[in-house]
Amino acid sequence: VDARIDAAHPMLRNVEVREAHFEDGVPAATDHATALASVFAARQDHVTLYSASVFTGTGGDTFGASASSIALALNWLAES
């Protein structure tokens, strides 16, 4: 549960990304989520990551997620 992952990033070439989006507005930047995904990818030959995107951004350093988007994302992950 984070922002969107940039699945096209070179560090994620051996990663299958299964994602769903639960944002309540404009999606937030992907740098943080992509960096975390890269850490997981570096530890295995082939990884399947489940990405539940919940954060929105208005530019700059302002990000947020609603309780409802987090609840929906956790439910999706539990069912996956």
Side-chain angles (χ1 to χ4, degrees), residues 2-5 19 21-31 53-60 62-64:
D2 203 331
R4 290 186 180 197
I5 292 175
E19 60 185 333
H21 306 286
F22 303 95
E23 300 97 343
D24 288 334
V26 178
T30 62
D31 292 346
S53 177
V54 297
F55 283 91
T56 59
T58 58
T62 305
F63 299 99

Side-chain angles (χ1 to χ4, degrees), residues 4-64:
R4 290 186 180 197
I5 292 175
D6 178 5
H9 192 280
M11 289 294 295
L12 302 178
R13 66 185 174 279
N14 293 324
V15 176
E16 177 184 353
V17 177
R18 296 182 185 175
E19 60 185 333
H21 306 286
F22 303 95
E23 300 97 343
D24 288 334
V26 178
T30 62
D31 292 346
H32 181 262
T34 302
L36 289 176
S38 297
V39 169
F40 290 118
R43 297 182 179 271
Q44 300 289 327
D45 290 334
H46 181 77
V47 175
T48 300
L49 292 177
Y50 290 83
S51 171
S53 177
V54 297
F55 283 91
T56 59
T58 58
D61 293 328
T62 305
F63 299 99

